[in-house]
């Protein structure tokens, strides 16, 4: 259990006090969903009455999340405005005497310092990490959609100033002076506890040593880079760079150094493992290496922990064109995450991954090395030469490199998506290996028509402007060049996809008859559950064995067993 004092391994029931429009219920749900022990916290929606009847000895079991009073008022006003019958202006709303001193009336006789958990809405990410000390359970991977919902997070009041204006804010501060007094005290307590937490959480890296963390994100050539780095460890070591070796599958695809930092519980929840991380950092500290390089696209999902544990590290992040990411992401969902739903064109498109890491990096004050993913954007002409530019001295890039974890062909993608609806895990795994290899030398294609691409490009302009405005560390020229460099691959319509599907099935039957027959058998057993009769018929007809093929496969199954028996005799 990470950073939780041994003296706090058990505790009575805990309660979060809920103030309007600070979303305490979402906070509680996040804790329940993202802890190893599925922690259950109580929610109290009448904090004033609750606190009035509370004994001082139980203050430690109370948790609060407070927002800037102006933020709370604006969010409440927006919620009321969603009702067409609500006619008040914002001025009338915040001058309502019933809303003034909400915090003060609750906490005037309760020392904030004595409250068990104090979170700040405007420092939500830090508050989540800090809560671990209170609810006493290991946090697991948190979906970023749960974290990045507040437009007010970590902006130092800029958003409020733009929305409300200084004159309105000044009036609110005057009217709500007592609430601001409570809020300021909560921030003081929070900052004190966060400082204590961060000192305890941050891992000691010896002076003169530097850590580089390559976080991907997914579908930016991470498998190719890791394959190169993994087989070049001796060359890297000669330059004083330690890259911990890792495993990879038979197609050369790996998760990089993921297992050195993340552990999975029995229920499948992944969590940042401080013990593992400390072991690898200690090994680095005790070595003569000057640089530790670690890489995994899965690190991207654990940025809260990396940023709080290794704040002085340099984080390498590749920016990919969102339209390319959209299509590549769909391939990955089908290949690795069992997606069965067909591809659909989104109504809007944004730089989602870039927004996530830049938002979190600003909050934690870490250094991001931004790189730009694309053949026309790579310095030196390749991903390998571009990655090398992150270091003062690095190994030479490979002259010719095999493509890894490439996208499926159109027919392979259709087959895998459909197989996800009925095939057993072992067959899906073997089918993926086959389809991945078969697709390596096939022409890439697009799931988007020309009109789809035109609409998405238009929608992307506004998002691009927002990103450039918010993230000052981006190279504007390179960023705009990346946007302009998008090449639309050939679009495969339905008939072309079906043609390729038949080709892939014929190749499967020719090269891996055992897989084709298993596919035929398993799909026939699920015939009643399959909605797409057209695909069902195509797969059945193209994997159905002839008598010769059937007996040939049976012989291949029986012969090794027979030979083993004879050998044992």
């Amino acid at each position: 259990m990470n950073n939780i004092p041994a003296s706090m391994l058990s505790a009575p029931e805990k309660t979060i006090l809920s103030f309007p429009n600070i979303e305490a219920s979402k906070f509680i749900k996040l804790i329940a969903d993202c802890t190893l022990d599925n922690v259950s916290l109580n929610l109290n929606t009448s904090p004033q009455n609750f606190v009035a009847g509370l004994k001082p000895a139980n203050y430690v079991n109370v948790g609060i999340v407070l927002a800037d009073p102006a933020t709370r008022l604006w969010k409440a006003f927006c919620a009321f405005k969603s009702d067409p019958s609500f006619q008040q202006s914002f001025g009338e709303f915040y001058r309502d005497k019933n809303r003034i001193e909400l915090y003060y009336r609750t906490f005037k006789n309760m020392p904030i310092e004595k409250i068990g958990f104090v979170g700040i809405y405007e420092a939500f990410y830090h508050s989540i990490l800090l809560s671990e000390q209170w609810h006493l359970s290991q946090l697991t991977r948190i979906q970023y959609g749960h974290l990045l919902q507040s437009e007010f997070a970590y902006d130092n009041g800029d958003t409020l100033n733009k929305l409300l204006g200084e004159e309105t804010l000044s009036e609110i501060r005057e009217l709500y002076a007592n609430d601001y007094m409570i809020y300021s005290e909560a921030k003081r307590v929070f900052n004190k506890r966060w400082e204590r937490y961060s000192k305890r959480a941050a891992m000691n890296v010896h002076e003169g040593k530097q850590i580089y963390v390559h976080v991907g994100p997914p579908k930016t050539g991470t498998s190719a880079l890791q394959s190169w780095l993994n087989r070049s460890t001796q060359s890297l070591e000669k330059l004083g760079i330690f890259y911990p070796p890792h495993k990879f599958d038979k197609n050369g695809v790996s998760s990089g150094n993921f297992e050195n930092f993340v552990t999975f519980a029995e229920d499948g929840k992944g969590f940042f493992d401080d013990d593992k991380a400390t072991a690898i950092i200690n090994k680095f500290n005790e070595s003569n290496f000057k640089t530790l390089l670690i890489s995994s696209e899965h690190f991207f999902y654990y940025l809260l922990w990396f940023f709080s544990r290794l704040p002085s590290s340099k984080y390498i992040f590749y920016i990919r064109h969102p339209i390319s990411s959209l299509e590549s992401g769909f391939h990955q969902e089908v290949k690795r995450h069992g997606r069965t739903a067909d591809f659909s064109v989104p109504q809007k498109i944004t730089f989602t991954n870039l927004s996530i890491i830049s938002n979190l990096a600003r909050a934690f004050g870490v250094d991001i090395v931004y790189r730009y993913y694309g053949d026309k954007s790579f310095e030196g002409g390749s991903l390998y030469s571009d990655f090398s530019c992150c270091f003062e001295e690095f190994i030479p890039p490979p002259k010719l490199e095999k493509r890894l974890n490439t996208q499926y062909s159109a027919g392979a993608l259709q087959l895998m998506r459909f197989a996800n609806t009925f095939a057993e895990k072992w067959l899906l795994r073997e089918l993926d290996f086959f389809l991945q290899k078969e697709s390596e030398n096939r022409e890439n294609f697009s799931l988007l028509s020309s009109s789809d691409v035109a609409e998405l490009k238009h929608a992307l302009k506004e998002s691009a402007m927002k990103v450039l405005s918010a993230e000052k560390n981006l190279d504007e020229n390179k960023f705009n060049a990346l946007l302009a460099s998008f090449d639309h691959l050939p679009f495969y319509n339905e008939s072309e996809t079906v043609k390729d599907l038949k080709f892939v099935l014929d190749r499967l039957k020719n090269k891996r008859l055992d897989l084709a027959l298993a596919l035929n058998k398993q799909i026939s057993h699920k015939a009643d559950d399959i909605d797409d009769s057209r695909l069902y018929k195509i797969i059945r007809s193209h994997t159905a064995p002839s008598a010769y093929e059937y007996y040939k496969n049976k012989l291949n199954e029986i012969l090794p067993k027979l030979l083993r028996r004879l050998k044992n005799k």
Side-chain angles (χ1 to χ4, degrees):
M1 192 171 292
N2 293 5
N3 299 308
I4 296 174
S7 61
M8 297 176 65
L9 293 179
S10 64
E13 210 168 54
K14 294 177 169 61
T15 299
I16 289 278
L17 303 186
S18 176
F19 293 91
N21 304 101
I22 304 181
E23 300 170 345
S25 60
K26 288 185 179 179
F27 186 89
I28 286 178
K29 186 177 187 308
L30 191 150
I31 298 300
D33 292 345
C34 303
T35 49
L36 285 182
D37 303 320
N38 299 108
V39 171
S40 178
L41 301 174
N42 292 324
L43 178 70
N44 188 283
T45 57
S46 302
Q48 193 172 339
N49 294 333
F50 181 83
V51 168
L54 196 65
K55 294 180 180 179
N58 288 323
Y59 289 173
V60 71
N61 299 320
V62 174
I64 60 172
V65 180
L66 298 188
D68 183 304
T71 297
R72 185 185 65 78
L73 288 164
W74 177 252
K75 285 173 64 65
F77 177 72
C78 291
F80 275 100
K81 285 289 285 184
S82 63
D83 181 354
S85 64
F86 181 76
Q87 298 297 318
Q88 273 189 329
S89 67
F90 183 54
E92 292 169 330
F93 183 82
Y94 69 72
R95 293 185 191 107
D96 187 328
K97 292 181 179 180
N98 293 320
R99 293 193 171 88
I100 297 174
E101 297 193 341
L102 177 62
Y103 293 164
Y104 181 71
R105 293 196 303 269
T106 304
F107 298 113
K108 61 183 178 181
N109 296 317
M110 183 182 189
I112 301 294
E113 182 81 54
K114 301 295 183 183
I115 295 175
F117 168 68
V118 178
I120 298 297
Y121 182 76
E122 289 80 8
F124 196 72
Y125 319 139
H126 296 73
S127 298
I128 285 291
L129 289 175
L130 201 56
S131 74
E132 202 174 36
Q133 303 282 312
W134 181 61
H135 58 65
L136 307 176
S137 180
Q138 171 73 58
L139 284 166
T140 61
R141 172 187 166 182
I142 301 171
Q143 296 290 338
Y144 286 128
H146 294 309
L147 284 178
L148 303 174
Q149 294 174 342
S150 172
E151 61 183 313
F152 303 104
Y154 301 96
D155 69 349
N156 298 316
D158 290 345
T159 302
L160 277 176
N161 280 323
K162 290 176 184 176
L163 282 170
L164 307 179
E166 186 55 41
E167 186 177 339
T168 298
L169 282 173
S170 295
E171 185 182 358
I172 290 174
R173 291 186 189 114
E174 185 176 344
L175 285 171
Y176 290 77
N178 285 331
D179 274 5
Y180 270 101
M181 179 181 67
I182 297 295
Y183 177 66
S184 296
E185 174 62 7
K187 284 177 68 176
R188 185 194 68 78
V189 172
F190 169 81
N191 289 332
K192 179 181 176 182
R193 292 179 181 180
W194 174 255
E195 183 180 1
R196 194 163 57 232
Y197 172 93
S198 58
K199 283 181 179 178
R200 189 163 55 240
M203 295 180 177
N204 177 42
V205 180
H206 288 180
E207 188 175 350
K209 290 178 177 278
Q210 181 64 59
I211 299 176
Y212 285 82
V213 185
H214 173 222
V215 299
K219 305 312 295 176
T220 55
T222 50
S223 292
L225 286 173
Q226 288 154 13
S227 175
W228 170 47
L229 297 171
N230 202 43
R231 67 173 184 270
S232 305
T233 52
Q234 291 184 347
S235 299
L236 287 165
E237 287 173 4
K238 291 177 182 177
L239 297 176
I241 301 171
F242 174 41
Y243 180 76
H246 50 74
K247 298 180 291 186
F248 50 87
D249 68 24
K250 60 186 179 183
N251 277 340
V253 178
S254 83
S255 295
N257 304 115
F258 184 61
E259 291 184 357
N260 293 117
F261 291 85
V262 175
T263 294
F264 283 93
E266 291 182 2
D267 61 359
K269 288 183 177 181
F271 63 92
F272 187 93
D273 193 320
D274 280 298
D275 291 336
K276 281 184 176 181
T278 299
I280 204 79
I281 300 303
N282 286 345
K283 184 177 181 180
F284 171 54
N285 282 332
E286 293 163 6
S287 74
N288 294 321
F289 298 118
K290 295 294 184 184
T291 302
L292 170 64
L293 170 60
I294 52 176
S295 171
S296 176
E297 66 180 45
H298 299 293
F299 288 165
F300 179 73
Y301 303 114
Y302 295 86
L303 294 178
L304 284 179
W305 292 271
F306 275 100
F307 287 178
S308 59
R309 270 57 172 175
L310 298 169
S312 61
S313 298
K314 293 182 182 295
Y315 292 86
I316 302 171
F317 177 87
Y318 272 89
I319 304 169
R320 186 171 184 176
H321 196 291
I323 298 179
S324 295
S325 294
L326 172 68
E327 296 196 80
S328 187
F330 177 76
H331 278 262
Q332 191 74 352
E333 286 180 24
V334 171
K335 288 196 292 183
R336 301 285 178 265
H337 305 295
R339 175 164 174 158
T340 59
D342 203 353
F343 178 78
S344 59
V345 182
Q347 292 183 333
K348 68 176 184 176
I349 189 167
T350 61
F351 287 87
T352 304
N353 289 339
L354 174 56
S355 296
I356 288 169
I357 196 168
S358 65
N359 196 319
L360 289 170
R362 284 195 302 275
F364 286 90
V366 300
D367 183 16
I368 307 295
V369 180
Y370 288 113
R371 307 302 299 177
Y372 302 84
Y373 185 86
D375 291 338
K376 297 177 182 178
S377 298
F378 293 141
E379 288 192 38
S382 76
L383 173 62
Y384 308 100
S385 59
D386 188 90
F387 187 80
S388 301
C389 292
C390 299
F391 306 86
E392 290 184 10
E393 189 178 12
F394 210 66
I395 56 177
K399 293 180 180 178
L400 187 64
E401 192 71 4
K402 176 185 173 184
R403 293 166 65 202
L404 293 175
N405 200 19
T406 53
Q407 71 172 45
Y408 285 155
S409 69
L413 184 66
Q414 183 81 302
L415 174 58
M416 194 67 181
R417 183 179 67 81
F418 193 56
N420 285 336
T421 64
F422 66 84
E424 295 174 8
K425 286 184 178 180
W426 74 266
L427 178 55
L428 291 173
R429 184 175 62 252
E430 291 300 315
L431 195 58
D432 172 49
F433 287 138
F434 175 82
L435 296 176
Q436 189 75 61
K437 194 167 186 63
E438 280 294 305
S439 299
E440 282 176 1
N441 298 314
R442 300 288 303 281
E443 177 188 53
N444 286 341
F445 73 101
S446 177
L447 296 156
L448 298 162
S449 67
S450 297
S451 60
D452 291 332
V453 170
E455 289 179 10
L456 289 174
K457 279 186 172 181
H458 180 74
L460 197 56
K461 289 180 181 179
E462 183 180 352
S463 175
M465 291 174 62
K466 286 183 178 179
V467 167
L468 280 173
S469 174
E471 183 48 77
K472 305 303 181 185
N473 292 325
L474 290 174
D475 184 315
E476 186 173 351
N477 292 329
K478 290 181 179 180
F479 184 78
N480 287 328
L482 175 70
L483 281 178
S485 69
F486 176 75
D487 288 327
H488 186 206
L489 296 169
F491 171 60
Y492 270 46
N493 60 31
E494 188 176 0
S495 62
E496 290 169 320
T497 301
V498 168
K499 181 180 178 181
D500 191 58
L501 170 62
K502 293 176 179 178
F503 173 80
V504 168
L505 288 168
D506 290 342
R507 294 276 293 177
L508 178 67
K509 191 175 177 183
N510 182 46
K511 290 192 154 191
R512 287 294 305 271
L513 180 61
D514 58 325
L515 293 186
L517 296 182
L519 195 66
N520 187 283
K521 182 178 180 181
Q522 290 185 22
I523 196 174
S524 65
H525 288 167
K526 298 285 186 177
D528 293 338
D529 301 325
I530 293 173
D531 296 327
D532 195 328
S533 59
R534 181 179 59 97
L535 280 179
Y536 172 79
K537 290 176 181 177
I538 291 172
I539 293 174
R540 282 281 283 161
S541 63
H542 281 261
T543 56
S546 64
Y548 168 75
E549 289 169 334
Y550 175 81
Y551 288 111
K552 178 184 176 182
N553 187 64
K554 280 292 183 184
L555 184 61
N556 287 336
E557 289 178 358
I558 295 170
L559 195 57
K561 296 177 183 177
L562 183 61
L563 288 173
R564 280 196 298 271
R565 285 183 182 177
L566 291 172
K567 187 177 179 179
N568 291 335
K569 287 183 179 181

